Amino acid sequence: MTKTLTAAALAVASATTLSAASSAHAATGSGAACPAPSRAEIRRSNDTRIDEPPRGATAIKGVRVGHIPKGFTYGGVVTGRHDGVTEYGYQWGDDRANADPAQRSLWVRVLCWPDAERLTNLRRLPVTYGTFTGDVRTATIGGRRVLTKEGDGALGAGRYVGWVERKGVVVTVMASTPLVAELGRIVAGVRLP
């Protein structure tokens, strides 16, 4: 069986080729850099390379994902750049087809976006996939104030959340339906320096 990342992740990876990751390393308002992909990671994303087995807690350089549910069989880096936003993330998946309701997938993404200051800013996040429009709610999940919505379309079924980690740095998490019960632990476990 050929393993593939979700349509959303592949579209982000191929939407725009990143030519230079260094601009995303620009300092944010707090003086901390925003995690951005290296040229090697950009190539891996553009080539849609699959990791078998998937990477672990440090799959995204500069980010620690402290709780990754069990059962993933592969993963892949997802990068993109457009409309002043640099995206850098990792998607974990299993061998079930995307249409299978038991399919397990987790997508953690960091977005370097200079306009990110408050949670309400996420409603105008300039991304192709994973927007916070429609039926979006504010909630506390994993000890963080987040915007949340049901997964739909290319994101697949499950729960999608996002928050402003610090000025200029946004984190989003998409957990498929079987992982929604663990979403609090996943969100609480995401750490940036």
Side-chain angles (χ1 to χ4, degrees):
M1 175 181 204
T2 302
K3 287 151 184 85
T4 59
L5 301 178
T6 66
L10 289 173
V12 168
S14 63
T16 303
T17 302
L18 295 171
S19 58
S22 61
S23 64
H25 285 284
T28 63
S30 67
C34 184
S38 66
R39 291 185 200 287
E41 292 286 75
I42 294 165
R43 280 192 301 275
R44 286 186 66 76
S45 176
N46 290 341
D47 294 344
T48 61
R49 290 196 192 152
I50 302 297
D51 300 321
E52 292 182 273
R55 295 181 188 177
T58 57
I60 307 164
K61 187 175 180 177
V63 178
R64 179 165 182 74
V65 182
H67 178 70
I68 302 171
K70 303 285 186 210
F72 295 120
T73 58
Y74 67 95
V77 173
V78 182
T79 67
R81 184 181 171 116
H82 53 85
D83 299 324
V85 176
T86 298
E87 303 182 41
Y88 181 28
Y90 196 84
Q91 185 178 17
W92 292 265
D94 69 17
D95 289 328
R96 295 175 185 92
N98 287 346
D100 185 336
Q103 199 265 347
R104 300 164 63 82
S105 70
L106 174 64
W107 184 21
V108 177
R109 170 176 69 165
V110 177
L111 301 112
C112 302
W113 180 42
D115 291 349
E117 291 185 51
R118 291 182 280 296
L119 194 57
T120 56
N121 296 142
L122 296 187
R123 292 182 183 270
R124 57 184 180 80
L125 184 65
V127 295
T128 305
Y129 295 96
T131 61
F132 287 97
T133 58
D135 187 17
V136 177
R137 300 173 192 266
T138 303
T140 300
I141 297 176
R144 290 188 159 97
R145 281 306 270 174
V146 301
L147 286 187
T148 182
K149 66 183 261 183
E150 290 294 320
D152 58 0
L155 291 179
R159 172 75 48 195
Y160 179 61
V161 302
W163 66 92
V164 177
E165 179 72 18
R166 58 181 172 255
K167 184 174 180 350
V169 182
V170 173
V171 178
T172 66
V173 174
M174 176 62 201
S176 65
T177 302
L179 304 179
V180 170
E182 296 185 62
L183 189 55
R185 291 181 65 198
I186 295 166
V187 168
V190 175
R191 296 281 181 249
L192 282 74

Coordinates of all heavy atoms in Angstrom, one line a residue, residues 85-173:
V85 N 3.4 34.0 4.9 CA 3.4 33.0 6.0 C 4.3 31.9 5.6 O 4.3 31.4 4.4 CB 2.0 32.4 6.2 CG1 2.0 31.3 7.2 CG2 1.0 33.5 6.6
T86 N 5.2 31.4 6.5 CA 6.0 30.3 6.3 C 5.4 29.2 7.2 O 5.2 29.4 8.4 CB 7.5 30.5 6.7 OG1 8.0 31.5 5.9 CG2 8.3 29.2 6.6
E87 N 5.1 28.0 6.6 CA 4.5 26.9 7.3 C 5.6 25.8 7.4 O 6.3 25.5 6.5 CB 3.3 26.3 6.5 CG 2.3 27.4 6.3 CD 1.1 26.8 5.5 OE1 0.7 25.6 5.9 OE2 0.6 27.5 4.6
Y88 N 5.6 25.2 8.6 CA 6.6 24.1 8.8 C 5.9 23.1 9.8 O 5.5 23.5 10.9 CB 7.8 24.6 9.5 CG 8.9 23.6 9.8 CD1 9.1 22.5 9.1 CD2 9.8 23.9 10.8 CE1 10.1 21.6 9.4 CE2 10.9 23.1 11.1 CZ 11.0 21.9 10.4 OH 12.0 21.0 10.7
G89 N 5.7 21.9 9.3 CA 5.0 20.9 10.2 C 5.3 19.5 9.9 O 6.2 19.2 9.0
Y90 N 4.7 18.6 10.6 CA 4.9 17.2 10.4 C 3.5 16.5 10.5 O 2.7 16.9 11.4 CB 5.8 16.6 11.4 CG 6.4 15.3 11.1 CD1 7.5 15.2 10.2 CD2 5.8 14.1 11.5 CE1 8.0 13.9 9.9 CE2 6.4 12.9 11.2 CZ 7.5 12.8 10.4 OH 8.0 11.6 10.0
Q91 N 3.3 15.5 9.7 CA 2.1 14.7 9.7 C 2.4 13.3 10.0 O 3.2 12.7 9.2 CB 1.3 14.9 8.4 CG -0.1 14.2 8.6 CD -0.9 14.4 7.4 OE1 -0.5 14.8 6.3 NE2 -2.2 14.1 7.5
W92 N 1.7 12.7 11.0 CA 1.8 11.3 11.3 C 0.6 10.6 10.8 O -0.5 11.2 10.8 CB 1.9 11.1 12.8 CG 3.1 11.6 13.5 CD1 4.3 10.8 13.8 CD2 3.4 12.9 14.0 NE1 5.2 11.6 14.4 CE2 4.7 12.9 14.5 CE3 2.7 14.1 14.0 CZ2 5.3 14.0 15.1 CZ3 3.3 15.2 14.5 CH2 4.6 15.2 15.1
G93 N 0.7 9.4 10.3 CA -0.4 8.7 9.8 C -0.3 7.2 10.0 O 0.8 6.7 10.5
D94 N -1.3 6.4 9.7 CA -1.3 5.0 9.8 C -1.7 4.4 8.4 O -1.9 5.1 7.5 CB -2.1 4.4 10.9 CG -3.6 4.6 10.7 OD1 -4.1 4.8 9.6 OD2 -4.3 4.5 11.7
D95 N -1.7 3.0 8.3 CA -1.9 2.4 7.1 C -3.3 2.3 6.6 O -3.6 1.8 5.5 CB -1.3 0.9 7.2 CG 0.2 0.9 7.2 OD1 0.8 1.8 6.6 OD2 0.7 0.0 7.9
R96 N -4.3 2.8 7.4 CA -5.7 2.8 6.9 C -5.9 3.8 5.9 O -5.2 4.9 5.9 CB -6.6 3.0 8.1 CG -6.6 1.9 9.1 CD -7.5 2.3 10.3 NE -7.4 1.4 11.4 CZ -6.5 1.5 12.4 NH1 -5.7 2.5 12.5 NH2 -6.5 0.6 13.4
A97 N -6.8 3.6 5.0 CA -7.2 4.6 4.0 C -7.8 5.9 4.6 O -8.4 5.8 5.7 CB -8.2 4.0 3.0
N98 N -7.6 7.0 4.0 CA -8.1 8.3 4.6 C -9.6 8.2 4.8 O -10.1 8.9 5.7 CB -7.8 9.5 3.7 CG -6.3 9.9 3.7 OD1 -5.6 9.4 4.6 ND2 -5.9 10.6 2.8
A99 N -10.3 7.4 4.0 CA -11.8 7.3 4.1 C -12.2 6.5 5.3 O -13.4 6.5 5.7 CB -12.4 6.8 2.8
D100 N -11.3 5.7 5.9 CA -11.6 4.8 7.0 C -11.8 5.6 8.3 O -10.9 6.4 8.7 CB -10.5 3.8 7.2 CG -10.8 2.7 8.2 OD1 -11.6 3.0 9.1 OD2 -10.1 1.7 8.1
P101 N -13.0 5.5 8.9 CA -13.2 6.3 10.1 C -12.2 6.0 11.3 O -12.1 6.8 12.2 CB -14.7 6.0 10.5 CG -15.1 4.9 9.7 CD -14.1 4.8 8.6
A102 N -11.6 4.9 11.2 CA -10.6 4.5 12.2 C -9.2 5.0 11.9 O -8.3 4.8 12.7 CB -10.6 3.0 12.4
Q103 N -9.0 5.7 10.8 CA -7.7 6.2 10.3 C -7.2 7.2 11.3 O -7.9 8.1 11.8 CB -7.8 6.8 8.9 CG -6.5 6.9 8.2 CD -5.8 8.3 8.4 OE1 -6.4 9.2 8.9 NE2 -4.6 8.3 8.0
R104 N -5.9 7.0 11.7 CA -5.3 7.9 12.7 C -4.3 8.8 12.0 O -3.4 8.3 11.3 CB -4.6 7.1 13.7 CG -5.5 6.1 14.5 CD -4.7 5.0 15.3 NE -3.9 5.6 16.3 CZ -4.2 5.9 17.5 NH1 -5.5 5.7 17.9 NH2 -3.4 6.4 18.4
S105 N -4.6 10.1 12.1 CA -3.6 11.1 11.6 C -3.5 12.2 12.5 O -4.5 12.6 13.2 CB -3.9 11.5 10.2 OG -5.1 12.3 10.2
L106 N -2.3 12.8 12.6 CA -2.0 14.0 13.4 C -1.1 14.9 12.6 O -0.1 14.5 12.1 CB -1.3 13.5 14.7 CG -0.8 14.6 15.6 CD1 -2.0 15.4 16.2 CD2 0.0 14.0 16.8
W107 N -1.5 16.2 12.5 CA -0.7 17.2 11.8 C -0.5 18.3 12.8 O -1.4 19.0 13.2 CB -1.5 17.6 10.6 CG -0.8 18.6 9.7 CD1 0.6 18.8 9.6 CD2 -1.4 19.4 8.7 NE1 0.9 19.7 8.7 CE2 -0.3 20.2 8.1 CE3 -2.7 19.7 8.3 CZ2 -0.5 21.1 7.1 CZ3 -2.9 20.6 7.3 CH2 -1.8 21.3 6.7
V108 N 0.8 18.5 13.1 CA 1.2 19.6 13.9 C 2.0 20.6 13.0 O 2.9 20.1 12.3 CB 2.1 19.2 15.1 CG1 2.6 20.4 15.9 CG2 1.3 18.2 16.0
R109 N 1.6 21.9 13.1 CA 2.2 22.8 12.2 C 2.5 24.1 12.9 O 1.8 24.6 13.8 CB 1.2 23.1 11.0 CG 1.5 24.2 10.1 CD 0.5 24.3 9.0 NE -0.8 24.7 9.4 CZ -1.8 25.1 8.7 NH1 -1.6 25.2 7.4 NH2 -3.0 25.5 9.1
V110 N 3.7 24.7 12.6 CA 4.0 26.1 13.1 C 4.0 27.0 11.9 O 4.5 26.7 10.8 CB 5.5 26.0 13.7 CG1 5.9 27.4 14.1 CG2 5.5 25.1 14.8
L111 N 3.4 28.2 12.1 CA 3.3 29.2 11.1 C 4.0 30.4 11.5 O 3.6 31.0 12.6 CB 1.8 29.5 10.7 CG 1.1 28.2 10.3 CD1 0.0 27.8 11.3 CD2 0.4 28.5 8.9
C112 N 4.9 30.9 10.7 CA 5.6 32.2 11.0 C 4.8 33.3 10.3 O 4.8 33.3 9.0 CB 7.0 32.1 10.6 SG 8.0 30.8 11.3
W113 N 4.1 34.1 11.0 CA 3.2 35.1 10.4 C 3.3 36.4 11.3 O 2.8 36.4 12.4 CB 1.8 34.6 10.4 CG 0.7 35.5 9.8 CD1 0.9 36.3 8.7 CD2 -0.6 35.7 10.4 NE1 -0.3 37.0 8.5 CE2 -1.2 36.7 9.5 CE3 -1.3 35.2 11.4 CZ2 -2.5 37.1 9.7 CZ3 -2.6 35.7 11.6 CH2 -3.2 36.6 10.8
P114 N 3.9 37.4 10.8 CA 4.2 38.6 11.5 C 2.9 39.2 12.1 O 3.0 39.9 13.2 CB 4.8 39.5 10.5 CG 5.4 38.7 9.5 CD 4.5 37.5 9.4
D115 N 1.8 39.0 11.5 CA 0.5 39.7 12.0 C -0.1 38.9 13.2 O -1.1 39.4 13.7 CB -0.5 39.8 10.9 CG -0.1 40.8 9.8 OD1 0.8 41.5 10.0 OD2 -0.7 40.8 8.7
A116 N 0.4 37.8 13.6 CA -0.1 37.0 14.7 C 0.2 37.7 16.0 O 1.4 37.8 16.4 CB 0.4 35.6 14.7
E117 N -0.8 38.2 16.7 CA -0.6 38.8 18.0 C -1.6 38.2 19.0 O -1.3 37.9 20.2 CB -0.8 40.3 18.0 CG 0.4 41.0 17.2 CD 0.3 42.5 17.3 OE1 0.1 43.0 18.4 OE2 0.3 43.2 16.3
R118 N -2.9 38.1 18.6 CA -3.9 37.7 19.5 C -4.7 36.5 18.8 O -4.7 36.3 17.6 CB -4.9 38.8 19.7 CG -4.4 39.9 20.6 CD -5.4 41.0 20.9 NE -5.6 42.0 19.8 CZ -4.7 42.8 19.3 NH1 -3.5 42.8 19.8 NH2 -5.0 43.7 18.4
L119 N -5.4 35.8 19.7 CA -6.1 34.6 19.2 C -7.1 35.0 18.1 O -7.3 34.3 17.1 CB -6.9 34.0 20.4 CG -7.4 32.6 20.1 CD1 -6.4 31.6 19.7 CD2 -8.1 32.1 21.4
T120 N -7.7 36.2 18.2 CA -8.7 36.6 17.2 C -8.1 36.8 15.8 O -8.8 36.7 14.8 CB -9.4 37.9 17.6 OG1 -8.5 38.9 17.9 CG2 -10.3 37.6 18.8
N121 N -6.8 37.1 15.8 CA -6.1 37.2 14.5 C -6.1 36.0 13.6 O -6.1 36.0 12.4 CB -4.6 37.6 14.7 CG -4.4 38.9 15.3 OD1 -3.4 39.1 16.1 ND2 -5.2 39.9 15.0
L122 N -6.3 34.8 14.3 CA -6.3 33.5 13.5 C -7.5 33.5 12.5 O -7.4 32.7 11.6 CB -6.3 32.3 14.4 CG -5.1 32.2 15.3 CD1 -5.2 30.8 16.1 CD2 -3.8 32.3 14.6
R123 N -8.5 34.2 12.8 CA -9.7 34.2 11.9 C -9.3 34.7 10.5 O -10.0 34.5 9.5 CB -10.8 35.0 12.4 CG -11.4 34.3 13.7 CD -12.6 35.1 14.2 NE -13.1 34.5 15.4 CZ -14.1 33.6 15.4 NH1 -14.6 33.1 14.3 NH2 -14.5 33.1 16.6
R124 N -8.2 35.5 10.4 CA -7.8 35.9 9.1 C -6.4 35.4 8.7 O -5.7 35.9 7.8 CB -7.8 37.5 9.0 CG -7.0 38.2 10.1 CD -7.1 39.7 10.0 NE -6.3 40.3 11.0 CZ -5.0 40.6 10.9 NH1 -4.4 40.2 9.8 NH2 -4.4 41.2 11.9
L125 N -6.0 34.3 9.2 CA -4.8 33.6 8.9 C -4.7 33.3 7.4 O -5.6 32.6 6.9 CB -4.7 32.3 9.7 CG -3.4 31.5 9.6 CD1 -2.2 32.2 10.2 CD2 -3.6 30.1 10.4
P126 N -3.7 33.8 6.7 CA -3.7 33.7 5.3 C -3.1 32.3 4.8 O -1.9 32.3 4.3 CB -2.8 34.9 4.8 CG -1.9 35.1 6.0 CD -2.7 34.7 7.2
V127 N -3.8 31.3 5.0 CA -3.4 29.9 4.6 C -4.4 29.3 3.6 O -5.6 29.7 3.6 CB -3.1 29.0 5.7 CG1 -1.9 29.5 6.6 CG2 -4.3 28.8 6.6
T128 N -4.0 28.4 2.8 CA -4.9 27.7 1.9 C -5.7 26.6 2.7 O -6.9 26.5 2.5 CB -4.1 27.1 0.8 OG1 -3.3 28.1 0.1 CG2 -5.0 26.4 -0.2
Y129 N -5.0 25.9 3.5 CA -5.7 24.8 4.3 C -5.5 25.1 5.8 O -4.5 25.5 6.2 CB -5.0 23.4 3.9 CG -5.3 23.1 2.5 CD1 -4.4 23.3 1.5 CD2 -6.5 22.5 2.1 CE1 -4.6 23.0 0.2 CE2 -6.8 22.2 0.8 CZ -5.8 22.5 -0.2 OH -6.1 22.2 -1.5
G130 N -6.6 24.8 6.5 CA -6.6 25.0 7.9 C -6.9 26.4 8.3 O -6.3 27.0 9.2
T131 N -7.9 27.0 7.7 CA -8.3 28.3 8.0 C -9.3 28.3 9.2 O -9.8 27.2 9.5 CB -9.1 29.0 6.9 OG1 -10.2 28.3 6.6 CG2 -8.2 29.2 5.7
F132 N -9.4 29.4 9.9 CA -10.4 29.4 11.0 C -11.6 30.3 10.6 O -11.8 31.4 11.1 CB -9.7 30.0 12.3 CG -8.7 29.0 12.9 CD1 -7.4 29.0 12.6 CD2 -9.2 28.0 13.7 CE1 -6.5 28.1 13.1 CE2 -8.4 27.0 14.2 CZ -7.0 27.1 13.9
T133 N -12.4 29.8 9.7 CA -13.6 30.4 9.3 C -14.7 29.5 9.5 O -14.5 28.3 9.8 CB -13.5 30.8 7.8 OG1 -13.2 29.6 7.0 CG2 -12.4 31.8 7.5
G134 N -15.9 30.0 9.4 CA -17.1 29.1 9.6 C -17.4 29.0 11.0 O -17.3 30.0 11.8
D135 N -17.8 27.8 11.5 CA -18.2 27.6 12.9 C -17.0 27.4 13.7 O -16.6 26.2 14.0 CB -19.1 26.4 12.9 CG -19.7 26.2 14.3 OD1 -19.7 27.1 15.1 OD2 -20.2 25.1 14.6
V136 N -16.3 28.5 14.1 CA -15.1 28.5 14.9 C -15.5 28.9 16.4 O -16.3 29.8 16.6 CB -14.1 29.4 14.4 CG1 -12.8 29.5 15.2 CG2 -13.7 29.0 12.9
R137 N -14.9 28.2 17.3 CA -15.2 28.5 18.7 C -13.9 28.7 19.5 O -12.9 28.2 19.1 CB -16.0 27.4 19.4 CG -17.3 27.1 18.7 CD -18.0 25.9 19.3 NE -19.1 25.5 18.4 CZ -20.3 25.9 18.6 NH1 -20.6 26.6 19.6 NH2 -21.3 25.4 17.8
T138 N -14.0 29.5 20.6 CA -12.9 29.7 21.5 C -13.0 28.7 22.6 O -14.2 28.5 23.1 CB -12.8 31.1 22.1 OG1 -12.8 32.0 21.0 CG2 -11.6 31.3 23.0
A139 N -12.0 28.0 23.0 CA -12.0 27.0 24.0 C -10.7 26.9 24.8 O -9.7 27.5 24.3 CB -12.3 25.6 23.4
T140 N -10.7 26.2 25.9 CA -9.4 25.9 26.6 C -9.2 24.4 26.4 O -10.0 23.6 26.8 CB -9.5 26.3 28.1 OG1 -9.7 27.7 28.2 CG2 -8.2 26.0 28.8
I141 N -8.1 24.1 25.7 CA -7.7 22.7 25.5 C -6.3 22.5 25.9 O -5.4 23.3 25.4 CB -8.0 22.3 24.0 CG1 -9.5 22.4 23.6 CG2 -7.5 20.9 23.7 CD1 -9.8 22.2 22.2
G142 N -6.0 21.6 26.7 CA -4.6 21.3 27.1 C -4.0 22.5 27.8 O -2.8 22.8 27.8
G143 N -4.8 23.3 28.5 CA -4.4 24.4 29.3 C -4.1 25.7 28.4 O -3.7 26.7 28.9
R144 N -4.4 25.6 27.1 CA -4.2 26.8 26.2 C -5.6 27.3 25.7 O -6.5 26.5 25.5 CB -3.4 26.4 25.0 CG -2.0 26.1 25.3 CD -1.2 25.9 24.0 NE 0.2 26.1 24.2 CZ 1.1 25.1 24.4 NH1 0.7 23.8 24.4 NH2 2.4 25.3 24.6
R145 N -5.7 28.6 25.6 CA -6.8 29.2 24.9 C -6.6 29.0 23.4 O -5.6 29.5 22.9 CB -6.9 30.7 25.2 CG -7.5 31.1 26.5 CD -8.9 30.4 26.8 NE -10.0 31.3 26.4 CZ -11.2 30.9 26.4 NH1 -11.5 29.6 26.8 NH2 -12.2 31.6 26.0
V146 N -7.5 28.4 22.7 CA -7.4 28.1 21.3 C -8.7 28.4 20.6 O -9.7 28.6 21.2 CB -7.1 26.6 21.1 CG1 -5.8 26.2 21.8 CG2 -8.3 25.7 21.6
L147 N -8.5 28.6 19.3 CA -9.7 28.5 18.4 C -9.8 27.1 17.9 O -8.8 26.4 17.7 CB -9.5 29.4 17.1 CG -9.6 30.9 17.4 CD1 -9.5 31.7 16.0 CD2 -10.8 31.3 18.1
T148 N -11.0 26.6 17.8 CA -11.2 25.2 17.4 C -12.4 25.1 16.5 O -13.3 25.9 16.5 CB -11.5 24.4 18.7 OG1 -11.6 23.0 18.3 CG2 -12.7 24.8 19.5
K149 N -12.3 24.1 15.7 CA -13.4 23.8 14.7 C -13.4 22.3 14.3 O -12.3 21.7 14.5 CB -13.4 24.7 13.5 CG -12.2 24.5 12.6 CD -12.2 25.4 11.5 CE -12.7 24.8 10.2 NZ -12.6 25.7 9.0
E150 N -14.5 21.8 13.8 CA -14.5 20.5 13.3 C -13.7 20.4 12.0 O -13.7 21.3 11.2 CB -16.0 20.0 13.0 CG -16.8 19.9 14.2 CD -16.4 18.7 15.0 OE1 -16.0 17.6 14.5 OE2 -16.5 18.8 16.3
G151 N -12.9 19.3 11.9 CA -12.2 19.1 10.6 C -13.2 18.9 9.5 O -14.3 18.4 9.7
D152 N -12.9 19.4 8.3 CA -13.8 19.3 7.2 C -12.9 19.3 5.9 O -11.8 19.7 5.9 CB -14.8 20.5 7.2 CG -14.1 21.9 7.1 OD1 -12.9 21.9 7.1 OD2 -14.8 22.9 7.1
G153 N -13.6 19.0 4.8 CA -12.9 19.0 3.5 C -11.6 18.3 3.5 O -11.4 17.2 4.0
A154 N -10.5 19.0 3.0 CA -9.2 18.4 2.9 C -8.6 18.0 4.2 O -7.7 17.2 4.3 CB -8.3 19.3 2.1
L155 N -9.0 18.7 5.3 CA -8.4 18.4 6.6 C -8.9 17.0 7.1 O -8.2 16.4 7.9 CB -8.9 19.4 7.7 CG -8.3 20.8 7.5 CD1 -8.8 21.7 8.6 CD2 -6.8 20.8 7.5
G156 N -10.0 16.5 6.6 CA -10.5 15.3 7.1 C -11.3 15.4 8.4 O -11.5 16.5 8.9
A157 N -11.9 14.3 8.8 CA -12.8 14.3 10.0 C -11.9 14.4 11.3 O -10.8 13.8 11.3 CB -13.6 13.1 10.1
G158 N -12.3 15.1 12.3 CA -11.6 15.3 13.5 C -11.8 16.6 14.1 O -12.8 17.3 13.9
R159 N -10.8 17.1 14.8 CA -10.8 18.4 15.4 C -9.5 19.2 15.1 O -8.4 18.6 15.1 CB -10.9 18.2 16.9 CG -10.8 19.4 17.8 CD -11.9 20.4 17.9 NE -13.2 19.8 18.1 CZ -14.3 20.4 17.9 NH1 -14.3 21.7 17.5 NH2 -15.5 19.9 18.1
Y160 N -9.7 20.4 14.7 CA -8.6 21.3 14.3 C -8.6 22.5 15.4 O -9.6 23.1 15.7 CB -8.9 21.9 12.9 CG -7.9 22.8 12.4 CD1 -6.6 22.5 12.2 CD2 -8.3 24.1 12.0 CE1 -5.7 23.3 11.7 CE2 -7.3 25.0 11.5 CZ -6.0 24.6 11.3 OH -5.1 25.5 10.8
V161 N -7.4 22.8 15.9 CA -7.2 23.8 16.9 C -6.0 24.7 16.5 O -5.1 24.2 15.8 CB -7.0 23.3 18.3 CG1 -8.2 22.5 18.7 CG2 -5.7 22.5 18.5
G162 N -6.0 25.9 17.0 CA -4.8 26.8 16.8 C -4.7 27.8 17.9 O -5.7 28.2 18.5
W163 N -3.5 28.3 18.1 CA -3.2 29.3 19.1 C -2.0 30.1 18.6 O -1.2 29.7 17.8 CB -3.1 28.7 20.5 CG -1.8 27.9 20.7 CD1 -0.6 28.3 21.1 CD2 -1.7 26.5 20.5 NE1 0.3 27.2 21.2 CE2 -0.4 26.1 20.8 CE3 -2.6 25.5 20.0 CZ2 0.1 24.8 20.7 CZ3 -2.2 24.2 19.9 CH2 -0.8 23.8 20.3
V164 N -1.9 31.3 19.2 CA -0.7 32.2 19.0 C 0.2 31.9 20.2 O -0.1 32.1 21.3 CB -1.1 33.7 19.0 CG1 0.2 34.5 18.9 CG2 -2.1 34.0 17.9
E165 N 1.3 31.2 19.8 CA 2.3 30.9 20.9 C 3.0 32.1 21.4 O 3.2 32.2 22.6 CB 3.3 29.9 20.2 CG 4.4 29.5 21.2 CD 4.0 28.5 22.2 OE1 2.9 27.9 22.1 OE2 4.7 28.4 23.2
R166 N 3.3 33.0 20.5 CA 3.9 34.3 20.9 C 3.8 35.2 19.6 O 3.4 34.6 18.5 CB 5.4 34.2 21.3 CG 6.3 33.6 20.3 CD 7.7 33.4 20.9 NE 8.5 32.7 20.0 CZ 8.9 31.4 20.2 NH1 8.6 30.8 21.3 NH2 9.7 30.8 19.3
K167 N 4.1 36.4 19.7 CA 3.9 37.3 18.6 C 4.6 36.8 17.4 O 5.8 36.4 17.4 CB 4.4 38.7 18.9 CG 4.2 39.7 17.7 CD 4.5 41.1 18.1 CE 4.3 42.1 17.0 NZ 4.0 41.7 15.7
G168 N 3.9 36.6 16.3 CA 4.5 36.1 15.0 C 4.6 34.6 14.9 O 5.0 34.1 13.8
V169 N 4.2 33.9 15.9 CA 4.3 32.4 15.9 C 2.9 31.8 16.2 O 2.4 31.9 17.3 CB 5.3 31.9 16.8 CG1 5.5 30.4 16.7 CG2 6.7 32.5 16.6
V170 N 2.4 31.0 15.2 CA 1.1 30.3 15.4 C 1.4 28.8 15.4 O 2.2 28.3 14.6 CB 0.1 30.7 14.3 CG1 -1.2 29.9 14.3 CG2 -0.2 32.2 14.3
V171 N 0.6 28.1 16.2 CA 0.7 26.6 16.2 C -0.7 26.1 15.9 O -1.7 26.6 16.4 CB 1.2 26.0 17.5 CG1 1.2 24.5 17.5 CG2 2.6 26.6 17.9
T172 N -0.8 25.1 15.0 CA -2.1 24.5 14.7 C -1.9 23.0 14.9 O -0.8 22.4 14.6 CB -2.6 24.8 13.3 OG1 -1.8 24.2 12.3 CG2 -2.8 26.2 13.1
V173 N -3.0 22.3 15.3 CA -3.0 20.9 15.4 C -4.3 20.3 14.8 O -5.3 20.8 15.1 CB -2.9 20.4 16.9 CG1 -3.0 18.9 17.1 CG2 -1.6 20.9 17.6

